[in-house]
Amino acid sequence: MLKIKNLHAKVGDNEILNGLNLEVKPGELHAIMGPNGSGKSTLAAVLAGREAYEVTDGMVELDGTDLLDLEASDRAREGVFLAFQYPIEIPGVSNLNFMKAAVNAKRAHQGQPPIKAKDFLAKVKECSSLVELDGKLRDRSVNEGFSGGEKKRNEIFQMAILEPKLCVLDETDSGLDIDALRVVSKGVNAMRSKDRAFIVITHYQRLLDHIIPDFVHVLSNGRIVKSGGKELALELEDKGYDWIKEEQNA
Amino acid sequence: MTVLTDIFKSTLPPPTRKSERWKYSPISKLLNSTLSTDSSEIDGGFSNEIAPNPVEGLEAYRLVFRNGKFNHSLSDLPIAKGVICMPQSEVSGEDVPEFKNTYSKTEWVGELNESYHQDGLFLKIDRNIKLDRPVLIHHLTDGKDVASFPRHFVRVEEGGEVDVVVWSSSTKNSSGMYNGILEASIAPNATLTLEKVCNEDGKIYHFSHENIIQERDSKFKMHTFTVKGHWVRNELEIISRGKGTDSIFNGAFLPTGNEHVDNHTTMDHTSTDGTSSELYRGIMYGTSTGVFNGKVFVRPDAQRTNAFQQNTNIVADRGASINAKPELEIYADDVKCSHGCTVGQFDLDALFYLKSRGIDEKAAKALLVEAFLADVISSVPCTELREEIMKIYKERHGW
Ligand SMILES: Nc1ncnc2c1ncn2[C@@H]1O[C@H](COP(=O)(O)OP(=O)(O)OP(=O)(O)O)[C@@H](O)[C@H]1O
Ligand SMILES: [Mg+2]
């Protein structure tokens, strides 16, 4: 589904990604861990099409389509979804209007008419109960005045509404209390399917107790320096990142 | 060569860039033109381009003016107890209003209006009378090098209530000057709502000056929308003369091309316990230029005043600019005043967030613009007017 080859990216004069390779097949869930500042969010932003990040080398393909050629909105319509590490507050734009516009943008892209009001509401109901998002939050301005945890739930709510092909979750677990972590994980698990793939960025093994990854990768200095199965996460939890850095330097 | 000052004589000199109030709104091009007032007979016709009622579906009493002159057959005046609503040309005797504001003595623009003024609205609302519909003034400029000098007078007596809409338009090939003054006084416990909309095609230099006097416990609420206009200067002056007045005045402007929009507001608190709330929002497109100047005076006797001012501007394109300046002069000690003035760009984080959900750049910007204007527009009481304004903005900017 997703092929990333030799990806290099920079912001201003900072080289942040230095030859990153990753392949994700349909149905798979890949966890990406790594020290602060290693480039995890940068990878997520580059995948989603943030203009501030300049790709200087490499390629990214989604089901054979060159993603790097597309605008952020077109990538989303092709099925890429990024759950932000820091979701943005947009005063004055209602959450529901926002989602309706997004759903209809995708439908237009697929040659379908706008969604019927009744169908949209049914979907909203279904998806908000999936992540137990309070009805009041649903109706408010996008993320405005939401707590950290509520913002994260709202990301997964949006993901459920948009039914993307490739879901990139950037530290969705940070800021969640224990119950919320369980709820959000349940939501993510419910969305797992053989046609959908996930990249889950996290610092904590505990998320991976709920959302069990097929692969775990360590990102360091802008590239994947170690990959393994779900046991790798346990090993990292136990030993930290130093041993990997030592392996690298050896 | 004939210039404007040869045609319209004045004792005051036209403003130059040396004057602080006109520094960013030079009028030299206007001064070099030769304008005249429309001397043709009223023929009952109006325009093929523009309907006498500019807001579809709006149920309002209507006074229609073309190039400064009142058109009776296209107007619809109220017949209601306690309401005098007519063109000034038809007012006689002791009712003839005396304009009390000093604009004609301090500004060239004001003096021209005083010397060459034409017709306008005369509206008087008696004690405790509430007019059931808004009074719409529609002024059309139609023709080349036309100068119009409308002048409106509004008095709302104690406990009375009225909503006035001042709408100006012009046809595509028109040029010239619109120089309009509105003077209103609001008696104790009375309410005046005013919406001013400039939606002018062609190349008009639009000057308008509203002078509002508020007595004890009166309410004034105003919206100033510059929907379209080649060169627009909106001046609003509110004087709170009695205790406990409430003044709310909001504005929005979205100039594009090489349009110029200037909003000068003055809120003068001279008495106690008044509140004022001012919100102006602008988005500058193309190579447009803008000015915002918001003065708030809190005089020594105006204790317990609560004054709020906010001006937020987005410069959407590289070639556009705005000069924004709040001026607060506070001479009383027990007051609450807050103000904020910003000039910025579209919020790129918000834009990316919207795009990352599949909404294209244009639609994403439209959502952000609508949200940005919502606080200004949502408080317009009349739905048809609100919708018409949004509709024109949308058509203009292709959202
Ligand atoms: N817009 C930017 N401008 C300048 N530097 C940036 C920008 N975005 C990221 N960086 C830098 O790139 C590096 C990688 O940042 P990134 O956010 O990708 O790290 P991360 O792995 O997600 O870290 P964390 O675990 O703390 O979230 C950091 O050194 C960061 O300071
Ligand atoms: Mg990060």
Side-chain angles (χ1 to χ4, degrees), chain A residues 88-107:
Chain A
I88 310 297
E89 298 194 12
I90 314 182
V93 176
S94 95
N95 227 357
L96 285 193
N97 278 348
F98 171 36
M99 277 303 98
K100 201 170 194 176
V103 167
N104 285 335
K106 190 169 176 184
R107 289 174 68 95

Side-chain angles (χ1 to χ4, degrees), chain B residues 6-17:
Chain B
D6 297 334
I7 304 161
F8 298 109
K9 307 278 188 217
S10 65
T11 50
L12 293 167
T16 66
R17 281 192 168 231

